[in-house]
Amino acid sequence: MLVLGLNTAFSTMEASLVQDGEILADRREAMPRGQERRLPGLVAELCAEAGVTLAQLTRIGVVAGPGSFTGLRIGVAYARGLALVTGAKAVGITSLEAAIPAGLEGAALGCLAAQRRPPDQTWWVQGISGGEGIAEVIEVPLTELSAMLTGFHAPIFMDGQEALGDLAAKLDLRPMQPSAVTAAIKAGLFHPDKHSPAPVYARAPDATLPAAKG
């Protein structure tokens, strides 16, 4: 199975090719803007490096969020379009799933920093079992997160761990880093029908439509 992994959810754009669990090629570029123009060329270069063509793809794993609103839409739109052209299945992988290593057994929790500036710090949180999300992604403030983690015994993949203070020493905390490689590996393991390539926001949009006039 040949899988293309994409991660445009953050300021670094990533693309990876994985075949039967083996990484054939992996590229990343710091690019907070202009990802929509660069992504097709980056994927073409990746395929050339690995000696494969897009027509050979079996699946396309895209990090679907949460993350940058614009970045998520770019990655998901590209993955869907490529799936239509190639016939490969597009699979959506949450940012939390894409940060927890494939092959991890048992339960875990993913905590990805959303708003980083005190006092309004929040984290995106998702329960994980066997590397796969078992609940919807939610966004919680630091006080709620601390209460949630108190007495938690399973591994916690988290960035911004220092915000937990003394509680951090009592937890099994591990680094949190979503990646296109992990997205590609998990796209080959997840059932496409259960992981639609649709943006995951976990937060209501800042802009809303005006109310209809009566």
Side-chain angles (χ1 to χ4, degrees):
M1 180 180 292
L2 180 63
V3 185
L4 171 67
L6 302 170
N7 181 13
T8 60
F10 306 97
S11 59
T12 297
M13 180 172 61
E14 301 179 328
S16 301
L17 280 167
V18 173
Q19 187 166 37
D20 300 327
E22 178 185 352
I23 301 171
L24 301 183
D26 179 33
R27 289 199 174 197
R28 55 187 49 80
E29 294 182 4
M31 186 172 290
R33 292 185 178 86
Q35 293 186 357
E36 72 280 5
R37 296 188 297 273
R38 175 62 180 136
L39 184 56
L42 181 68
V43 171
E45 293 168 10
L46 193 75
C47 289
E49 178 183 337
V52 301
T53 66
L54 292 176
Q56 294 174 267
L57 290 177
T58 308
R59 289 190 183 177
I60 303 159
V62 58
V63 178
S68 160
F69 179 84
T70 302
L72 296 180
R73 293 171 68 87
I74 290 169
V76 167
Y78 180 78
R80 285 176 171 176
L82 195 58
L84 287 174
V85 172
T86 62
K89 291 283 188 180
V91 182
I93 313 295
T94 71
S95 299
L96 293 306
E97 290 170 328
I100 295 178
L104 180 72
E105 298 181 357
L109 195 68
C111 304
L112 179 63
Q115 299 185 72
R116 297 174 179 268
R117 294 182 180 179
D120 300 320
Q121 291 171 288
T122 62
W123 277 260
W124 290 307
V125 178
Q126 185 178 31
I128 305 289
S129 180
E132 188 170 3
I134 55 175
E136 298 294 325
V137 180
I138 60 173
E139 184 175 355
V140 299
L142 177 59
T143 52
E144 188 173 334
L145 178 64
S146 297
M148 184 185 300
L149 298 184
T150 299
F152 196 85
H153 299 297
I156 302 165
F157 292 80
M158 179 179 180
D159 63 346
Q161 301 173 3
E162 64 279 358
L164 296 176
D166 294 340
L167 176 60
K170 304 174 183 179
L171 302 171
D172 180 2
L173 293 173
R174 306 184 187 186
M176 154 70 71
Q177 184 60 58
S179 76
V181 169
T182 303
I185 293 172
K186 292 194 173 182
L189 300 173
F190 290 176
H191 196 296
D193 293 343
K194 297 180 180 179
H195 292 267
S196 173
V200 177
Y201 297 122
R203 179 192 301 169
D206 294 329
T208 58
L209 294 174
K213 294 182 179 181

